[in-house]
Amino acid sequence: MVRVLIVDDAAFMRKLLKNILFTGGFDIAGEAENGKQAVELYKQLKPDIVTMDIVMPEMNGIEALKEIRKIDPNAKVVMCTAVGQEQMVKTAIKLGAKGYIVKPFQASKVIEELKRVAEL
Amino acid sequence: MSEKLLLKVPVEVFEGGNWIKTEAAIYSSYIQLGKKEIQFKQIRDLEYSYLNDQEAVKILADSEYYINFGKYQKQVFRFLAFNLKADKFAVYFISPAIRGGVIVSNAKWEKGYLAITENALWFLSPNKQVRIALEYLGSVGKEKRSVGGKQRVVLKLTHVDNNEVIVSYVLCPETTLEMLEQYINQLIEQQKPKEKLSEIEEQVLTMIYSGVDSSSIESILGISTEELNKIYDKLINLGLARLVKIRKEVELTPRGVSFVDDIMKKAVR
C-alpha cells in the first residue's frame, strides 16, 4: 500500500486529507504541521508520497520540498495549494514537485492525482 | 413593425402543460411567436432547460417562455445571448481556465463580451456563450498574469459549475477592470448569506464539498449526529446546501436479535 506523509499546519485539513486518502486506499505514514517537521519525518518514515501545504509557519512548503529533494532526489511531493497560488505551484514544479492538488479538495481529484504520482 | 426577417422556423412552445407546435419568426429586434412578440430588450435571462423530456430555451422576458427551436436551438440561443438586456463590456476572456483545480489544457483567450444581466453573468464569443448564474459566483479579484509575453493585470473570477470550482480570467483596459471588479463584487455580496458561519460550520461545508460522508464528518469533527443535523439544517436554510437523502438509523427488534443469533449459530455449525 502506498504510504503518504501529510503536511499541513491546519489540523482540520490534515484530518480531511487523511480521511480522503484512507478511503482511497492509501496508507497514512504520518502527519506534520510545518515544513521543518516534514523534513524530519521524511527522514524517519521514508513515505512513498508527501502531500505538502505551501503556506506554513517555521518552514514553508517550498523550502521543505527543497530539503526533502536534497535528502531524496526521487521524492514524490504533491503540493497542496489554494486558488491564487499558481505562481508558487509553478516554482514548486520547477523544484521537482510531482503534482499539485487545489484547496478546497474534491476527494476524486485528490485520489486521481496521488494515484498518478504513485504510478498506480 | 417592418424589420428584416432573419429566420422563420417551426418551434414547439410549452403552454398550459403541453408542447404546442407553432412557428417562430426572428427579426432583428424581436421574436414573433404566433400573435406574441418578444422584444429582445425585454429578455432579462436565457438558459437551456429540460421540460417534459424536451430540451428548450427558457426565455425570461415579460413572462417565462420555454421554446424548442429544434435544429436551430444553438444558433438561436447564441443570437439571443448576444441580444440580451444586459450591461455589456468588450473584453478578452478565458472560461474555464481552471476546472476543479486542474488547468484546462486547451484554454485560450477569446475576444468577446462580458455581459451582466439581473440573474447571471455571461461570457460571450462567437464560439462560446457561458452563463454563470449570480448565485454560482464565488469571488472576484485582480491578478497578474503573463499575456502574450507581457505581465498584465487581469480579473480572476471563481464560480461553480457542476459542483466544481471554475476559474475564469478577463482581460480589458485597467479602468474597466477596476469598475468590473467592484460591480461583480457587489453582485457577489448580494448573494452571500447575511448570517456568518462558525468555524465548525465552515469545516462541515468544506467536507461536504470534498465528498466526505456524514459518518466521517462526525468522526473527523468529533460531533454527534444531532449536532451535525443541526448544522445541515442551517446550511440548507441559508441556501448553501440541499437535502438529497435522509439517513435512517435503526435498532434491532427482539425478532431481529433472534435472527442474528440464528445466523451466528449457522456460522459455527
Side-chain angles (χ1 to χ4, degrees), chain B residues 205 229-245:
Chain B
L205 203 64
N229 281 344
K230 269 188 196 161
I231 295 174
Y232 280 169
D233 285 342
K234 183 171 174 182
L235 299 181
I236 291 167
N237 287 336
L238 290 173
L240 299 174
R242 59 173 167 261
L243 185 66
V244 288
K245 191 164 65 181

Side-chain angles (χ1 to χ4, degrees), chain B residues 194-237:
Chain B
K194 300 289 171 254
E195 206 173 331
K196 286 219 163 178
L197 295 183
S198 68
E199 192 183 345
I200 199 162
E201 288 160 351
E202 285 179 355
Q203 290 176 344
V204 170
L205 203 64
T206 308
M207 282 194 277
I208 297 170
Y209 175 83
S210 295
V212 179
D213 63 69
S214 299
S215 309
S216 302
I217 294 177
E218 286 166 18
S219 119
I220 289 171
L221 297 177
I223 58 173
S224 67
T225 303
E226 288 71 30
E227 285 171 297
L228 182 60
N229 281 344
K230 269 188 196 161
I231 295 174
Y232 280 169
D233 285 342
K234 183 171 174 182
L235 299 181
I236 291 167
N237 287 336

Side-chain angles (χ1 to χ4, degrees), chain A residues 12-13 15-16 19-20 83-86 100 102 104-109, chain B residues 98 100-103 143 156 163-164 169 203 206-207 209-210 212 216 220:
Chain A
F12 163 68
M13 278 297 163
K15 280 184 189 172
L16 177 57
N19 178 276
I20 292 172
V83 170
Q85 293 177 338
E86 288 83 358
Y100 68 93
V102 183
F105 304 125
Q106 273 194 319
S108 55
K109 300 262 188 235
Chain B
I98 301 172
V102 180
I103 294 165
E143 190 181 290
K156 177 180 177 175
N163 285 327
E164 283 188 312
Y169 292 108
Q203 290 176 344
T206 308
M207 282 194 277
Y209 175 83
S210 295
V212 179
S216 302
I220 289 171

